Amino acid sequence: MSDIPAPEKANETAGEDFIRAAIRADLAAGRVARVVTRFPPEPNGYLHIGHAKAIALNFSVAAEFGGRCHLRFDDTNPAKEEQEYIDGIKADLTWLGFDWGTHLYHTSDYFEQLYSWAVHLIEAGDAYVDDLSAEEIRARRGTLTAPGTDSPFRDRTAAENLDLFSRMRAGEFENGARVLRAKIDMTSGNINLRDPVLYRILHAHHPRTEDKWCLYPNYDFAHGQSDAIEAVTHSLCSLEFEAHRPLYDWLLEHLPVPANPRQYEFSRLNITYTVLSKRLLRELVDGGHVAGWDDPRMPTLVGLRRRGVPAAAILEFIARLSVGKTEGVVEVEALEHATRDALNPTAPRLMGVLRPLKIVIENYPEGESELLDAANHPQDEAAGSRQVPFGRELYVEQDDFMEDPPRKFFRLSPGREVRLRYAYFVTCTEVIKNEQGEVIELRCTYDPATKGGNAPDGRKVKATLHWVSAAHAVDAELRLYDRLFDQPNPAKVEEGQNWLDSLNAASLETLTGAKLEPSLADAAPGVPVQFERQGYFCVDPDSAAGKPVFNRIISLRDSWAKAAKKG
Ligand code: ATP
Ligand code: MG
């Protein structure tokens, strides 16, 4: 094993995290010539934003120190792994902007080498075939305070072990009939060293090796050796692997591996109101609680992408996290903030009415319309402008009107004059209701002298509303998303409760009657736009010709903060 970096070296660059400090020290001391890291996903599901932390760390560290980062699929469990996930994971990395170049690997590429290393351990008396069942092995493993008990098969001869192991490979035994275990120490204080299982029998079709194997190494036996084969220098993983490091090191010491990687553990990303565990995310998908792995409410990278969250927002959010050893929970507001920050400078401003209320401008000539100039981004002249049609019949937002407004409501109400954005001042003259007494239309007048939105006599209005011309409007479905959970820590359940009880019943609101300005008919899928005063949206792949579906990426302001203050 390489030496542990001297602590004074580890702090060379102020503010640097412990991993970068260790790498810097290894390079300075000549322990490492070229930094090699890897991102090792198991292709048993789609990646979530927690994985983005590991991806960004591995790829950024390699780039910063002139090294390289491998993508390695940890495909040792054919029962749960699928090609769909392999393809999805690659697409996610590419979307985030990371490139593994030619360094794409699979643990299954090393099955033959790993097998021969298992034989090496057996020959050296460091591994044995155990006939105990998984249950019996568990029962004899002991606890944190009590030592384990030796298996009655522990002292088999190397010859007998070799014979059994080769017959396990040959397919002579059923799943679970026998396992290969390392012979370390059943009394070790570290349970991972109590003769850990290295190989199990699994008669299953593998996406890559197909039916060649019915014997598969587990994570612990595969990981360090794969790192060594690829000459990985710094094997970065999350803290739950810390207790596995002694086994990682033990295997490298007992095998004739070509290199000596070192494992470093950092704290996982956890986010409030979110679950970041493939197992739980799969439960949401399989249970039909969401529409799929790419449901825009999911914290998966495919979900965030479909929602319209830019990769830049995710990278910025991740870059602000500390890389340390203390488990913490990051507030989801930090991700929301990064999302707004990424969208604000670039998303063009357009007009869309979510819940339309028709208004008729009685003094505007019937059958006529005109085109008005509208800035694409009021804070960015370079974004240019477009023309928006205006006519006698328009839509405004239902909640921009109140028949009996409280003192501080300055938007439309009977007799009140307001500005229509980029257009004219209008005054509400009459309220039309249906038989149920609901407001269904407003009658208004406009002041032709206020074209462009300013009065020549200098008179002011206190509200500016967005609007859409009825004759030109594009009908759209809008999907308004909110947090998938209404509890800050959904995965943590009290006794007698189910974590699914934390699902937010109002996490999706579908609006089918939205009216959008005509330029939105050509919005490109996945490209974020801002509906003025409403939020950021992007076209969802569910759109059909002439009937777009928009996802709300995020509202303009944090409505939860407001609700919390009120409550
Ligand atoms: P999960 O625990 O969500 O099921 P996993 O750890 O089983 O994920 P892997 O595909 O094995 O998923 O993980 C690949 C890499 O991503 C590992 O190195 C792991 O340490 C890292 N990783 C997984 N979840 C997180 C997280 N929340 N924060 C940071 N890194 C993570
Ligand atoms: Mg895991």
Side-chain angles (χ1 to χ4, degrees):
M1 283 302 91
S2 47
D3 303 328
I4 292 166
E8 66 275 13
K9 283 253 165 124
N11 286 323
E12 230 163 23
T13 305
E16 191 168 65
D17 62 68
F18 76 101
I19 289 173
R20 288 176 169 87
I23 293 175
R24 195 176 295 284
D26 283 343
L27 287 167
R31 279 186 294 264
V32 164
R34 185 166 187 209
V35 173
V36 181
T37 59
R38 86 288 166 269
F39 174 64
E42 184 184 354
N44 62 349
Y46 282 87
L47 299 179
H48 52 64
I49 190 167
H51 293 113
K53 178 178 178 180
I55 294 167
L57 180 64
N58 278 294
F59 278 92
S60 312
V61 153
E64 282 163 39
F65 291 96
R68 61 170 194 261
C69 180
H70 298 179
L71 171 59
R72 182 199 313 144
F73 287 102
D74 181 27
D75 54 351
T76 53
N77 186 356
K80 288 195 190 154
E81 295 157 7
E82 287 175 32
Q83 187 63 36
E84 177 193 344
Y85 302 134
I86 294 186
D87 299 339
I89 289 169
K90 285 186 193 165
D92 284 344
L93 262 73
T94 302
W95 177 61
L96 286 178
F98 297 109
D99 182 7
W100 53 92
T102 55
H103 297 283
L104 171 65
Y105 303 103
H106 301 81
T107 302
S108 57
D109 298 338
Y110 313 138
F111 280 172
E112 200 64 60
Q113 173 69 78
L114 292 170
Y115 181 85
S116 68
W117 278 335
V119 167
H120 178 96
L121 281 186
I122 295 173
E123 285 171 343
D126 290 325
Y128 61 97
V129 172
D130 197 341
D131 300 357
L132 293 182
S133 68
E135 234 164 82
E136 287 166 315
I137 290 176
R138 208 173 305 122
R140 287 164 176 264
R141 198 167 45 192
T143 64
L144 285 174
T145 49
T149 320
D150 285 0
S151 163
F153 302 99
R154 197 173 197 262
D155 292 319
R156 277 181 162 147
T157 63
E160 192 183 351
N161 283 318
L162 285 173
D163 172 60
L164 285 170
F165 192 52
S166 69
R167 287 163 60 198
M168 283 163 70
R169 176 177 182 167
E172 272 190 40
F173 311 115
E174 300 286 290
N175 288 356
R178 293 190 158 87
V179 293
L180 184 74
R181 299 178 71 177
K183 192 169 178 176
I184 307 180
D185 179 4
M186 288 304 292
T187 66
S188 171
N190 183 334
I191 292 186
N192 292 297
L193 294 180
R194 293 183 190 169
D195 291 9
V197 172
L198 307 179
Y199 267 90
R200 72 263 194 237
I201 298 169
L202 201 62
H203 292 270
H205 184 83
H206 188 283
R208 290 177 61 85
T209 57
E210 306 193 322
D211 299 310
K212 182 166 181 212
W213 295 88
C214 59
L215 183 65
Y216 292 93
N218 67 358
Y219 174 88
D220 284 317
F221 191 69
H223 204 80
Q225 285 83 286
S226 302
D227 285 343
I229 292 169
E230 293 173 22
V232 166
T233 54
H234 298 80
S235 183
L236 315 179
C237 56
S238 38
L239 274 181
E240 69 266 28
F241 295 103
E242 195 167 31
H244 292 245
R245 179 158 28 102
L247 176 55
Y248 181 100
D249 290 342
W250 185 93
L251 287 165
L252 294 179
E253 276 160 25
H254 287 76
L255 292 170
V257 290
N260 270 331
R262 276 186 69 89
Q263 177 181 300
Y264 296 83
E265 309 87 15
F266 60 92
S267 56
R268 292 172 71 91
L269 170 61
N270 301 298
I271 306 179
T272 56
Y273 298 95
T274 309
V275 296
L276 293 181
S277 142
K278 267 186 273 182
R279 185 178 59 78
L280 297 182
L281 294 174
R282 172 185 303 284
E283 225 178 296
L284 292 176
V285 174
D286 292 347
H289 304 287
V290 293
W293 286 97
D294 69 344
D295 185 301
R297 293 165 293 179
M298 289 281 270
T300 50
L301 296 177
V302 274
L304 291 161
R305 179 155 84 240
R306 178 167 176 187
R307 170 99 166 235
V309 175
I314 293 171
L315 295 175
E316 184 54 34
F317 165 71
I318 298 285
R320 289 182 197 179
L321 302 171
S322 62
V323 175
K325 284 206 163 265
T326 329
E327 282 289 357
V329 185
V330 177
E331 310 233 322
V332 71
E333 286 85 349
L335 175 59
E336 295 169 349
H337 188 84
T339 303
R340 291 190 185 98
D341 271 2
L343 293 171
N344 181 39
T346 50
R349 271 55 170 169
L350 297 139
M351 293 195 285
V353 174
L354 273 53
R355 300 171 184 86
L357 172 62
K358 186 181 245 181
I359 68 172
V360 177
I361 315 278
E362 294 197 296
N363 58 339
Y364 196 91
E366 233 160 308
E368 282 191 23
S369 67
E370 63 188 304
L371 290 170
L372 301 171
D373 262 341
N376 288 334
H377 197 305
Q379 286 89 53
D380 177 12
E381 238 171 84
S385 65
R386 68 191 183 284
Q387 301 222 293
V388 189
F390 184 88
R392 181 179 158 90
E393 297 197 354
L394 310 169
Y395 293 110
V396 296
E397 222 50 81
Q398 285 170 17
D399 62 9
D400 277 337
F401 171 79
M402 280 184 91
E403 196 172 11
D404 266 321
R407 226 160 37 88
K408 288 200 169 164
F409 185 89
F410 299 115
R411 293 169 270 161
L412 266 185
S413 57
R416 170 81 53 75
E417 186 172 51
V418 299
R419 175 189 294 110
L420 295 183
R421 181 87 155 145
Y422 302 120
Y424 298 96
F425 284 11
V426 297
T427 305
C428 173
T429 52
E430 191 190 343
V431 180
I432 297 173
K433 298 181 185 178
N434 62 14
E435 280 169 12
Q436 287 79 48
E438 296 157 348
V439 177
I440 51 165
E441 188 181 304
L442 304 178
R443 296 276 157 162
C444 298
T445 56
Y446 86 120
D447 177 355
T450 57
K451 184 165 178 175
N454 287 303
D457 63 3
R459 79 182 186 276
K460 302 279 179 218
V461 288
K462 284 193 168 159
T464 301
L465 311 186
H466 61 278
W467 53 273
V468 168
S469 162
H472 306 86
V474 173
D475 289 298
E477 175 181 325
L478 305 184
R479 296 177 183 169
L480 309 185
Y481 300 106
D482 202 342
R483 294 176 187 170
L484 188 51
F485 295 95
D486 56 17
Q487 296 301 314
N489 190 349
K492 192 179 153 217
V493 282
E494 309 282 313
E495 244 194 51
Q497 281 188 329
N498 186 326
W499 71 282
L500 293 167
D501 296 342
S502 317
L503 278 167
N504 175 11
S507 63
L508 169 60
E509 183 185 359
T510 303
L511 303 178
T512 50
K515 302 284 186 183
L516 312 181
E517 68 165 82
S519 64
L520 281 164
D522 318 314
V527 178
V529 296
Q530 186 192 103
F531 292 0
E532 290 204 36
R533 302 174 63 225
Q534 292 295 359
Y536 295 98
F537 288 80
C538 80
V539 171
D540 187 85
D542 279 351
S543 300
K547 182 80 208 226
V549 175
F550 279 82
N551 295 318
R552 185 174 68 192
I553 307 168
I554 194 158
S555 59
L556 295 182
R557 273 169 301 277
D558 180 358
S559 56
W560 285 68
K562 242 193 303 173
K565 254 193 220 151
K566 266 195 217 152

